[in-house]
Amino acid sequence: MYDVVSFNISWMYPIVWVLFALALLAVIGCFIVLLLSAAKALKAHARWRTVQTELLLAEALAGGDSVSSDPPTA
């Protein structure tokens, strides 16, 4: 009655594997970029805290009143 046609799709498997490998490489690349950006941000933040600490210590040694042990009066 009806002729059943069997489609051969085995030629698609290598293409699927190549697309999967490219997607995996893209994800790994994005992850590496994310880690490098995070490391750079942490380094910049640590440097900023070091500079702020140095400024506070210099101000305290110069007799600044920004670090006061007296409670504020209302």
Side-chain angles (χ1 to χ4, degrees):
M1 198 149 131
Y2 292 108
D3 187 18
V4 178
V5 178
S6 175
F7 292 105
N8 189 3
I9 60 168
S10 63
W11 59 271
M12 287 181 61
Y13 293 130
I15 295 172
V16 171
W17 278 112
V18 167
L19 290 175
F20 177 75
L22 288 175
L24 190 61
L25 283 175
V27 168
I28 291 172
C30 289
F31 187 66
I32 288 172
V33 168
L34 178 71
L35 287 178
L36 290 174
S37 298
K40 186 177 179 182
L42 285 174
K43 184 177 178 182
H45 184 68
R47 177 67 184 147
W48 180 80
R49 288 185 59 126
T50 302
V51 169
Q52 292 300 313
T53 303
E54 290 173 357
L55 289 174
L56 285 173
L57 288 173
E59 188 177 354
L61 288 175
D65 196 22
S66 65
V67 184
S68 178
S69 61
D70 299 331
T73 57

